[in-house]
Amino acid sequence: MTRAGLLRSIYDESISIELERRIDELIASYRNQLELQDVRSLDQKDVFLISYGDSITSGEARPLNVLKAFLDVYGKVFSHVHILPFYPYSSDDGFSVIDYKEVNSSLGDWSDIKSLANSYSLMFDAVINHVSAKSNWFKEHLSGDREARNLIFADDPNKDWSLVVRPRTSPLFHRYIDKNGDGHFIWTTFSEDQVDLDYRDPDLLIAILDVLLFYILQGASMLRLDAIGFMWKEEGTSCIHLPQTHALIQLFRFVLTEIKPDVKLITETNVPHIENISYFGDGFNEAHLVYNFTLPPLLAYSLLSQSVRKFAHWAKSLAVPSNEVCFFNFLASHDGVGVRPVQGILSRHELQLLIDAADANGGRVNYKSNAEGGKDPYEINCNYFSLLKGSGCEHREGLKRMILAHAVLLAFPGVPAIYIHSLLGSENDLEGMKKAGYNRAINRAKIDLQSLASDLEDPFSNRKIIYSRIRDLIEVKQGIAAFDPYANFQIQLVNEQVLLLQRGNREVSCFFNFGVENQTLKLDRGGMDLISKFPYEKDDELEILGYDFLWLGHFS
């Protein structure tokens, strides 16, 4: 669909014509400032690190500079860095943005961001479903400012909103008082401090496009569209994944392609799998990458249950609509482990295994409202390493499961992303969670660089063991073309505990033992262990230890 066609699918004809003119002007204002780059497809060398700007600290040094110092020593294997929201904010550790065009002064400034962009490709967060209630946009809305009065979604809470899908148990609307003492009911998808934006206003569309282009100017090569499924609201609907939402994302891509075709969009929608993959569009017109939200909870369940059957069944069904899109694979994040994506895959009883594992290690569960007026779990707040220790708090087995999980992640079709606390072998930050007063802080600790460096020199520390194994696996992966994100894959359930993942045209066979017991297999062809370089012949018996794996290359 053309840009004009997309606009007409969202707005009235007269508004669409005017918007086309304004978008042309906006593009012209940025075009001369942006350098065109060749469009490079992602390949096996691309691995993302996810971090807050201040996940690593060092005294009074600017955290963004500390992050770069860490990366330059320990993170050279990463091609891309996703810096979680680094803008001024009022809550939710950055996801309640006060000013889209400023860097949080406690982290640094735009020169620090550009310094990082000179060495690593950067992914910025575009938190464009909502804005902080402390932002100027909202203050101007309450003041009656003519240009800002329609940027925020205000409506009658007594309309029929009964079908709205809720990701929280908090109220859908909150009442705010303006300078005259009058009350305004504002849509709040996530919290009272996060007021939703109103894309019915064409001025907002122009303002958001300006923000996206500004991010590209500041060095972003990828844009993560946060909580994007909730962008458009309409009475009598679910207010999630509406056609206008998809049209807006397609419009964002259209505009970015016109001015900077090498930039990629990634959508963040923590929802059941079939809904999530709708953001690929037709494979050419919407998101370049989609978060693979089913992977973290289903992989953890499979490791803790010692059964790979459900994981194999799901993995076999994975498909993308074209060879130009792929999954963004991850295991842990700043939010925790979302469990809505395993709806229809895991039963309530099976899901309880994850909840019990989290609870045994100090984790928490967040809930959302359901259609029956009750609540369902939607997110487990727990460090992934802590979760994999299980209900028995088995430290050694948790360590083996953690390394095995990342071997699966790095071999899986799509692009892998590793959260910094997983890379560094962190565990639940119970004290930090208690101090912060909210569950998600359990996996958002700040690490002192000097202390970290000491741990990474200790061959017996969890940090050293996990970091070294993950780094070594990344280096192996980056040298094997069959691990290209878009390469073919085949899944085979060898037995209840063993999964076989083959990549490319079966040039690589990855065997994963999800059970505690050793497994003996007979090879149907020879190959070489990609890690140890040990050769195997056809019909050799291969023993895979409990919670271990083998990447076997079949090269002539």
Side-chain angles (χ1 to χ4, degrees):
M1 188 180 291
T2 64
R3 191 215 302 171
L6 288 168
L7 287 168
R8 285 196 298 272
S9 72
I10 305 168
Y11 303 101
D12 292 340
E13 179 79 19
S14 59
I15 294 175
S16 299
I17 293 171
E18 174 62 12
L19 274 174
E20 272 222 271
R21 182 192 64 78
R22 295 177 67 184
I23 291 173
D24 282 336
E25 289 179 351
L26 187 64
I27 290 174
S29 71
Y30 277 96
R31 179 167 277 140
N32 293 335
Q33 303 177 73
L34 290 166
E35 294 182 10
L36 287 177
Q37 301 283 341
D38 293 334
V39 179
R40 185 183 76 83
S41 180
L42 297 166
D43 62 28
Q44 72 275 7
K45 297 181 180 67
D46 289 300
V47 181
F48 285 66
L49 180 71
I50 306 169
S51 177
Y52 278 104
D54 59 354
S55 289
I56 301 176
T57 62
S58 180
E60 298 300 314
R62 285 147 66 128
L64 287 170
N65 290 339
V66 177
L67 177 61
K68 186 174 187 302
F70 165 81
L71 289 165
D72 290 345
V73 175
Y74 300 103
K76 282 295 189 181
V77 291
F78 294 98
S79 59
H80 292 68
V81 181
H82 171 203
I83 311 176
L84 290 155
F86 50 80
Y87 325 110
Y89 70 95
S90 54
S91 63
D92 199 17
D93 281 345
F95 286 91
S96 185
V97 179
I98 291 175
D99 190 330
Y100 288 119
K101 290 189 173 183
E102 292 294 332
V103 174
N104 187 338
S105 60
S106 68
L107 300 177
D109 58 28
W110 284 116
S111 69
D112 302 314
I113 295 293
K114 289 193 172 183
S115 176
L116 277 161
N118 288 334
S119 300
Y120 307 90
S121 295
L122 298 186
M123 181 158 79
F124 288 16
D125 275 283
V127 189
I128 56 174
N129 173 73
H130 49 266
V131 71
S132 169
K134 311 295 189 303
S135 67
N136 283 337
W137 281 11
F138 189 53
K139 290 176 182 177
E140 290 164 1
H141 172 88
L142 289 181
S143 73
D145 181 276
R146 187 180 64 82
E147 293 185 0
R149 65 188 175 194
N150 294 324
L151 299 183
I152 308 299
F153 197 97
D155 215 318
D156 182 358
N158 295 313
K159 287 183 178 180
D160 180 13
W161 305 114
S162 59
L163 298 179
V164 172
V165 170
R166 297 290 294 120
R168 298 288 188 274
T169 55
S170 55
L172 180 60
F173 285 90
H174 280 89
R175 187 171 181 266
Y176 302 83
I177 306 300
D178 66 20
K179 64 178 182 178
N180 299 318
D182 296 326
H184 297 253
F185 285 100
I186 305 297
W187 192 291
T188 52
T189 296
F190 294 102
S191 78
E192 187 174 3
D193 187 50
Q194 294 164 299
V195 293
D196 281 43
L197 298 171
D198 191 350
Y199 284 87
R200 295 174 299 186
D201 181 5
D203 288 342
L204 177 68
L205 176 63
I206 297 299
I208 292 299
L209 284 171
D210 178 52
V211 168
L212 300 183
L213 293 175
F214 176 79
Y215 288 166
I216 304 307
L217 186 63
Q218 300 304 318
S221 62
M222 294 188 69
L223 295 176
R224 175 186 182 271
L225 304 180
D226 176 69
I228 205 69
F230 301 98
M231 271 201 307
W232 195 272
K233 288 85 169 165
E234 195 168 289
E235 183 184 7
T237 73
S238 64
C239 297
I240 188 172
H241 315 317
L242 296 188
Q244 295 92 333
T245 292
H246 286 283
L248 284 166
I249 299 169
Q250 292 167 24
L251 180 67
F252 296 158
R253 175 164 174 170
F254 205 106
V255 171
L256 291 172
T257 300
E258 285 188 74
I259 191 169
K260 201 80 165 60
D262 53 305
V263 172
K264 290 179 170 56
L265 289 178
I266 177 170
T267 51
E268 188 265 343
T269 51
N270 189 358
V271 294
H273 185 73
I274 194 65
E275 300 173 34
N276 189 30
I277 61 176
S278 68
Y279 289 89
F280 280 131
D282 65 10
F284 303 96
N285 67 342
E286 206 161 331
H288 298 87
L289 298 97
V290 164
Y291 269 77
N292 197 349
F293 272 105
T294 306
L295 182 61
L298 189 55
L299 182 57
Y301 166 79
S302 301
L303 289 165
L304 291 171
S305 68
Q306 301 186 55
S307 171
V308 75
R309 187 172 299 277
K310 288 204 168 186
F311 186 87
H313 180 75
W314 166 77
K316 284 181 181 180
S317 73
L318 289 178
V320 293
S322 80
N323 61 2
E324 294 188 11
V325 297
C326 67
F327 286 104
F328 187 80
N329 298 318
F330 71 108
L331 299 182
S333 78
H334 60 289
D335 281 345
V337 179
V339 295
R340 280 202 70 210
V342 290
Q343 181 180 317
I345 300 176
L346 298 183
S347 68
R348 285 274 189 155
H349 174 73
E350 290 166 331
L351 181 58
Q352 192 63 42
L353 179 67
L354 291 178
I355 293 173
D356 290 344
D359 183 64
N361 293 282
R364 299 289 189 272
V365 179
N366 284 337
Y367 292 86
K368 73 174 192 72
S369 299
N370 60 35
E372 290 75 40
K375 60 181 185 178
D376 295 320
Y378 80 87
E379 179 182 271
I380 294 174
N381 300 123
C382 192
N383 175 282
Y384 209 71
F385 180 25
S386 297
L387 182 67
L388 293 185
K389 288 166 69 174
S391 297
C393 300
E394 306 127 333
H395 187 85
R396 181 174 174 275
E397 289 187 357
L399 195 63
K400 295 177 70 174
R401 290 173 187 143
M402 184 69 169
I403 294 166
L404 174 58
H406 283 84
V408 175
L409 172 72
L410 290 165
F412 216 64
V415 177
I418 299 173
Y419 185 46
I420 194 163
H421 283 296
S422 291
L423 176 71
L424 299 176
S426 299
E427 298 185 53
N428 280 338
D429 182 17
L430 302 180
E431 187 60 35
M433 178 179 64
K434 181 179 178 181
K435 184 177 180 180
Y438 53 90
N439 293 347
R440 285 178 169 177
I442 199 169
N443 200 21
R444 299 179 180 181
K446 309 291 188 279
I447 307 174
D448 176 73
L449 180 60
Q450 286 69 38
S451 174
L452 174 61
S454 177
D455 286 341
L456 292 177
E457 292 299 318
D458 178 358
F460 301 106
S461 74
N462 288 335
R463 292 201 189 281
K464 175 66 173 180
I465 293 168
I466 291 175
Y467 164 78
S468 296
R469 290 299 306 277
I470 292 175
R471 181 203 58 202
D472 292 348
L473 286 172
I474 292 173
E475 289 178 343
V476 171
K477 167 199 165 55
Q478 290 174 326
I480 307 297
F483 285 131
D484 185 286
Y486 308 98
N488 294 332
F489 73 97
Q490 299 83 35
I491 298 286
Q492 180 182 336
L493 180 67
V494 177
N495 59 42
E496 191 69 26
Q497 286 79 43
V498 179
L499 177 78
L500 170 60
L501 166 62
Q502 294 179 305
R503 295 301 314 274
N505 294 316
R506 301 178 71 235
E507 294 103 333
V508 173
S509 298
C510 302
F511 295 91
F512 304 103
N513 182 3
F514 280 54
V516 69
E517 300 295 332
N518 298 351
Q519 297 284 324
T520 301
L521 308 173
K522 190 172 184 179
L523 293 175
D524 62 1
R525 55 183 174 146
M528 181 183 71
D529 185 331
L530 295 176
I531 299 166
S532 71
K533 308 303 181 185
F534 185 86
Y536 289 90
E537 301 294 333
K538 181 182 177 182
D539 296 328
D540 276 357
E541 283 198 341
L542 169 69
E543 184 177 42
I544 306 179
L545 301 179
Y547 295 125
D548 208 349
F549 62 94
L550 172 69
W551 288 357
L552 194 65
H554 309 285
F555 308 116
S556 57

Tab-separated table of all heavy atoms in Angstrom, residues 222-257:
chain	number	residue	atom	x	y	z
A	222	MET	N	18.175	0.823	14.863
A	222	MET	CA	16.946	0.057	15.046
A	222	MET	C	16.073	0.781	16.049
A	222	MET	O	16.572	1.414	16.982
A	222	MET	CB	17.245	-1.360	15.542
A	222	MET	CG	17.991	-2.224	14.557
A	222	MET	SD	18.112	-3.945	15.102
A	222	MET	CE	16.418	-4.463	14.952
A	223	LEU	N	14.756	0.675	15.838
A	223	LEU	CA	13.792	1.290	16.745
A	223	LEU	C	12.869	0.221	17.312
A	223	LEU	O	12.232	-0.530	16.558
A	223	LEU	CB	12.956	2.349	16.017
A	223	LEU	CG	13.713	3.569	15.502
A	223	LEU	CD1	12.777	4.476	14.713
A	223	LEU	CD2	14.342	4.347	16.652
A	224	ARG	N	12.835	0.142	18.625
A	224	ARG	CA	11.952	-0.807	19.313
A	224	ARG	C	10.651	-0.096	19.662
A	224	ARG	O	10.642	0.854	20.453
A	224	ARG	CB	12.636	-1.316	20.585
A	224	ARG	CG	11.784	-2.219	21.478
A	224	ARG	CD	12.560	-2.508	22.757
A	224	ARG	NE	11.860	-3.387	23.661
A	224	ARG	CZ	11.009	-2.988	24.613
A	224	ARG	NH1	10.734	-1.696	24.751
A	224	ARG	NH2	10.445	-3.859	25.429
A	225	LEU	N	9.569	-0.535	19.067
A	225	LEU	CA	8.264	0.086	19.290
A	225	LEU	C	7.628	-0.568	20.511
A	225	LEU	O	7.076	-1.666	20.438
A	225	LEU	CB	7.385	-0.070	18.047
A	225	LEU	CG	7.987	0.481	16.741
A	225	LEU	CD1	7.022	0.267	15.568
A	225	LEU	CD2	8.343	1.961	16.876
A	226	ASP	N	7.702	0.111	21.640
A	226	ASP	CA	7.286	-0.443	22.924
A	226	ASP	C	5.766	-0.475	23.049
A	226	ASP	O	5.080	0.502	22.724
A	226	ASP	CB	7.878	0.417	24.057
A	226	ASP	CG	7.416	-0.025	25.416
A	226	ASP	OD1	7.820	-1.119	25.852
A	226	ASP	OD2	6.624	0.717	26.045
A	227	ALA	N	5.232	-1.605	23.548
A	227	ALA	CA	3.794	-1.743	23.847
A	227	ALA	C	2.925	-1.262	22.705
A	227	ALA	O	1.881	-0.642	22.901
A	227	ALA	CB	3.460	-0.980	25.134
A	228	ILE	N	3.335	-1.577	21.498
A	228	ILE	CA	2.769	-0.963	20.312
A	228	ILE	C	1.340	-1.411	20.013
A	228	ILE	O	0.582	-0.708	19.343
A	228	ILE	CB	3.690	-1.229	19.099
A	228	ILE	CG1	3.522	-0.162	18.027
A	228	ILE	CG2	3.501	-2.643	18.568
A	228	ILE	CD1	4.051	1.178	18.435
A	229	GLY	N	0.957	-2.574	20.521
A	229	GLY	CA	-0.362	-3.110	20.186
A	229	GLY	C	-1.535	-2.293	20.677
A	229	GLY	O	-2.661	-2.445	20.196
A	230	PHE	N	-1.298	-1.388	21.643
A	230	PHE	CA	-2.390	-0.640	22.271
A	230	PHE	C	-2.585	0.751	21.660
A	230	PHE	O	-3.362	1.548	22.188
A	230	PHE	CB	-2.117	-0.484	23.775
A	230	PHE	CG	-1.985	-1.785	24.508
A	230	PHE	CD1	-0.737	-2.333	24.785
A	230	PHE	CD2	-3.107	-2.490	24.928
A	230	PHE	CE1	-0.597	-3.534	25.461
A	230	PHE	CE2	-2.987	-3.689	25.604
A	230	PHE	CZ	-1.739	-4.212	25.873
A	231	MET	N	-1.908	1.067	20.577
A	231	MET	CA	-1.862	2.453	20.084
A	231	MET	C	-3.217	3.044	19.719
A	231	MET	O	-3.434	4.239	19.895
A	231	MET	CB	-0.956	2.552	18.853
A	231	MET	CG	0.481	2.829	19.173
A	231	MET	SD	1.363	3.529	17.768
A	231	MET	CE	1.015	2.353	16.479
A	232	TRP	N	-4.116	2.253	19.137
A	232	TRP	CA	-5.389	2.801	18.664
A	232	TRP	C	-6.522	2.279	19.530
A	232	TRP	O	-6.597	1.091	19.826
A	232	TRP	CB	-5.632	2.414	17.202
A	232	TRP	CG	-6.718	3.233	16.569
A	232	TRP	CD1	-8.054	2.969	16.573
A	232	TRP	CD2	-6.564	4.460	15.866
A	232	TRP	NE1	-8.742	3.948	15.911
A	232	TRP	CE2	-7.851	4.887	15.456
A	232	TRP	CE3	-5.466	5.258	15.525
A	232	TRP	CZ2	-8.066	6.066	14.737
A	232	TRP	CZ3	-5.678	6.421	14.807
A	232	TRP	CH2	-6.957	6.813	14.416
A	233	LYS	N	-7.415	3.191	19.931
A	233	LYS	CA	-8.556	2.830	20.771
A	233	LYS	C	-9.851	3.138	20.028
A	233	LYS	O	-9.963	4.167	19.362
A	233	LYS	CB	-8.555	3.623	22.087
A	233	LYS	CG	-7.487	3.206	23.085
A	233	LYS	CD	-6.177	3.877	22.842
A	233	LYS	CE	-5.202	3.655	23.989
A	233	LYS	NZ	-3.825	3.991	23.633
A	234	GLU	N	-10.820	2.248	20.189
A	234	GLU	CA	-12.110	2.453	19.537
A	234	GLU	C	-13.190	1.761	20.358
A	234	GLU	O	-13.051	0.589	20.717
A	234	GLU	CB	-12.070	1.883	18.115
A	234	GLU	CG	-13.209	2.341	17.243
A	234	GLU	CD	-12.956	1.989	15.780
A	234	GLU	OE1	-12.071	2.617	15.166
A	234	GLU	OE2	-13.639	1.074	15.289
A	235	GLU	N	-14.239	2.494	20.666
A	235	GLU	CA	-15.321	1.953	21.495
A	235	GLU	C	-15.880	0.673	20.894
A	235	GLU	O	-16.034	0.536	19.681
A	235	GLU	CB	-16.443	2.986	21.642
A	235	GLU	CG	-17.577	2.523	22.559
A	235	GLU	CD	-18.733	3.517	22.624
A	235	GLU	OE1	-18.719	4.495	21.854
A	235	GLU	OE2	-19.653	3.302	23.448
A	236	GLY	N	-16.172	-0.290	21.778
A	236	GLY	CA	-16.781	-1.534	21.341
A	236	GLY	C	-15.804	-2.548	20.783
A	236	GLY	O	-16.216	-3.580	20.243
A	237	THR	N	-14.496	-2.276	20.903
A	237	THR	CA	-13.475	-3.208	20.414
A	237	THR	C	-12.540	-3.596	21.567
A	237	THR	O	-12.637	-3.064	22.673
A	237	THR	CB	-12.625	-2.590	19.291
A	237	THR	OG1	-11.726	-1.616	19.854
A	237	THR	CG2	-13.503	-1.917	18.235
A	238	SER	N	-11.605	-4.493	21.264
A	238	SER	CA	-10.620	-4.920	22.264
A	238	SER	C	-9.561	-3.853	22.500
A	238	SER	O	-8.820	-3.912	23.485
A	238	SER	CB	-9.938	-6.207	21.796
A	238	SER	OG	-9.194	-5.955	20.612
A	239	CYS	N	-9.452	-2.874	21.576
A	239	CYS	CA	-8.453	-1.801	21.660
A	239	CYS	C	-7.018	-2.343	21.676
A	239	CYS	O	-6.120	-1.740	22.261
A	239	CYS	CB	-8.709	-0.889	22.862
A	239	CYS	SG	-10.294	-0.029	22.766
A	240	ILE	N	-6.808	-3.476	21.039
A	240	ILE	CA	-5.460	-4.023	20.863
A	240	ILE	C	-5.392	-4.661	19.483
A	240	ILE	O	-6.365	-5.279	19.023
A	240	ILE	CB	-5.112	-5.046	21.972
A	240	ILE	CG1	-3.632	-5.457	21.877
A	240	ILE	CG2	-6.017	-6.260	21.942
A	240	ILE	CD1	-3.144	-6.305	23.042
A	241	HIS	N	-4.285	-4.446	18.794
A	241	HIS	CA	-4.033	-4.997	17.449
A	241	HIS	C	-5.069	-4.532	16.425
A	241	HIS	O	-5.355	-5.255	15.464
A	241	HIS	CB	-4.034	-6.534	17.458
A	241	HIS	CG	-3.283	-7.186	18.575
A	241	HIS	ND1	-2.044	-6.747	18.997
A	241	HIS	CD2	-3.605	-8.268	19.351
A	241	HIS	CE1	-1.636	-7.547	19.995
A	241	HIS	NE2	-2.552	-8.452	20.227
A	242	LEU	N	-5.633	-3.364	16.604
A	242	LEU	CA	-6.640	-2.897	15.651
A	242	LEU	C	-5.999	-2.586	14.292
A	242	LEU	O	-4.792	-2.331	14.201
A	242	LEU	CB	-7.352	-1.670	16.197
A	242	LEU	CG	-8.170	-1.877	17.483
A	242	LEU	CD1	-8.975	-0.630	17.812
A	242	LEU	CD2	-9.100	-3.083	17.372
A	243	PRO	N	-6.792	-2.610	13.208
A	243	PRO	CA	-6.236	-2.349	11.873
A	243	PRO	C	-5.490	-1.020	11.790
A	243	PRO	O	-4.476	-0.916	11.088
A	243	PRO	CB	-7.483	-2.349	10.970
A	243	PRO	CG	-8.476	-3.201	11.690
A	243	PRO	CD	-8.240	-2.963	13.146
A	244	GLN	N	-5.977	-0.007	12.504
A	244	GLN	CA	-5.302	1.297	12.476
A	244	GLN	C	-3.897	1.210	13.090
A	244	GLN	O	-2.980	1.908	12.649
A	244	GLN	CB	-6.131	2.346	13.221
A	244	GLN	CG	-7.476	2.650	12.580
A	244	GLN	CD	-8.595	1.788	13.118
A	244	GLN	OE1	-8.355	0.659	13.571
A	244	GLN	NE2	-9.815	2.300	13.080
A	245	THR	N	-3.736	0.351	14.109
A	245	THR	CA	-2.415	0.161	14.718
A	245	THR	C	-1.444	-0.407	13.698
A	245	THR	O	-0.311	0.079	13.545
A	245	THR	CB	-2.521	-0.766	15.943
A	245	THR	OG1	-3.244	-0.092	16.973
A	245	THR	CG2	-1.141	-1.144	16.464
A	246	HIS	N	-1.867	-1.449	12.998
A	246	HIS	CA	-1.005	-2.034	11.965
A	246	HIS	C	-0.703	-1.021	10.867
A	246	HIS	O	0.433	-0.948	10.375
A	246	HIS	CB	-1.659	-3.285	11.387
A	246	HIS	CG	-1.620	-4.462	12.311
A	246	HIS	ND1	-0.492	-5.215	12.518
A	246	HIS	CD2	-2.585	-5.006	13.103
A	246	HIS	CE1	-0.743	-6.185	13.387
A	246	HIS	NE2	-2.012	-6.082	13.757
A	247	ALA	N	-1.710	-0.229	10.487
A	247	ALA	CA	-1.491	0.780	9.442
A	247	ALA	C	-0.488	1.837	9.898
A	247	ALA	O	0.342	2.305	9.099
A	247	ALA	CB	-2.825	1.431	9.064
A	248	LEU	N	-0.536	2.216	11.163
A	248	LEU	CA	0.414	3.200	11.677
A	248	LEU	C	1.843	2.656	11.636
A	248	LEU	O	2.782	3.364	11.239
A	248	LEU	CB	0.040	3.593	13.112
A	248	LEU	CG	-1.145	4.552	13.258
A	248	LEU	CD1	-1.628	4.599	14.709
A	248	LEU	CD2	-0.779	5.952	12.780
A	249	ILE	N	2.034	1.400	12.036
A	249	ILE	CA	3.377	0.818	12.000
A	249	ILE	C	3.870	0.730	10.561
A	249	ILE	O	5.030	1.037	10.259
A	249	ILE	CB	3.377	-0.565	12.667
A	249	ILE	CG1	2.969	-0.448	14.138
A	249	ILE	CG2	4.766	-1.219	12.562
A	249	ILE	CD1	2.692	-1.766	14.812
A	250	GLN	N	2.991	0.346	9.642
A	250	GLN	CA	3.364	0.297	8.233
A	250	GLN	C	3.723	1.687	7.716
A	250	GLN	O	4.660	1.844	6.912
A	250	GLN	CB	2.232	-0.311	7.423
A	250	GLN	CG	2.015	-1.790	7.709
A	250	GLN	CD	0.712	-2.324	7.147
A	250	GLN	OE1	0.156	-1.774	6.188
A	250	GLN	NE2	0.207	-3.408	7.736
A	251	LEU	N	3.030	2.689	8.213
A	251	LEU	CA	3.339	4.068	7.823
A	251	LEU	C	4.717	4.475	8.366
A	251	LEU	O	5.516	5.104	7.647
A	251	LEU	CB	2.259	5.014	8.341
A	251	LEU	CG	2.452	6.498	8.005
A	251	LEU	CD1	2.326	6.732	6.502
A	251	LEU	CD2	1.442	7.349	8.761
A	252	PHE	N	4.999	4.129	9.632
A	252	PHE	CA	6.319	4.429	10.194
A	252	PHE	C	7.413	3.818	9.306
A	252	PHE	O	8.407	4.466	8.970
A	252	PHE	CB	6.467	3.852	11.610
A	252	PHE	CG	5.534	4.431	12.633
A	252	PHE	CD1	5.240	3.728	13.799
A	252	PHE	CD2	4.946	5.682	12.446
A	252	PHE	CE1	4.387	4.253	14.755
A	252	PHE	CE2	4.085	6.203	13.408
A	252	PHE	CZ	3.808	5.494	14.556
A	253	ARG	N	7.210	2.553	8.932
A	253	ARG	CA	8.215	1.882	8.101
A	253	ARG	C	8.335	2.571	6.745
A	253	ARG	O	9.451	2.748	6.240
A	253	ARG	CB	7.860	0.405	7.919
A	253	ARG	CG	8.807	-0.296	6.961
A	253	ARG	CD	8.731	-1.791	7.047
A	253	ARG	NE	9.541	-2.431	6.016
A	253	ARG	CZ	9.816	-3.721	5.963
A	253	ARG	NH1	9.357	-4.536	6.893
A	253	ARG	NH2	10.542	-4.230	4.992
A	254	PHE	N	7.219	2.949	6.163
A	254	PHE	CA	7.229	3.601	4.856
A	254	PHE	C	8.047	4.884	4.909
A	254	PHE	O	8.900	5.134	4.048
A	254	PHE	CB	5.789	3.897	4.417
A	254	PHE	CG	5.605	4.014	2.939
A	254	PHE	CD1	4.983	3.007	2.218
A	254	PHE	CD2	6.060	5.129	2.247
A	254	PHE	CE1	4.818	3.103	0.854
A	254	PHE	CE2	5.903	5.240	0.877
A	254	PHE	CZ	5.278	4.220	0.181
A	255	VAL	N	7.812	5.703	5.921
A	255	VAL	CA	8.509	6.984	6.044
A	255	VAL	C	9.998	6.762	6.294
A	255	VAL	O	10.850	7.412	5.681
A	255	VAL	CB	7.886	7.839	7.163
A	255	VAL	CG1	8.735	9.073	7.453
A	255	VAL	CG2	6.458	8.259	6.772
A	256	LEU	N	10.339	5.834	7.201
A	256	LEU	CA	11.743	5.573	7.498
A	256	LEU	C	12.479	5.027	6.277
A	256	LEU	O	13.638	5.372	6.033
A	256	LEU	CB	11.861	4.597	8.669
A	256	LEU	CG	11.421	5.138	10.031
A	256	LEU	CD1	11.402	4.023	11.064
A	256	LEU	CD2	12.316	6.269	10.496
A	257	THR	N	11.806	4.175	5.514
A	257	THR	CA	12.433	3.617	4.314
A	257	THR	C	12.717	4.701	3.291
A	257	THR	O	13.733	4.651	2.584
A	257	THR	CB	11.537	2.520	3.712
A	257	THR	OG1	11.358	1.479	4.672
A	257	THR	CG2	12.163	1.929	2.450
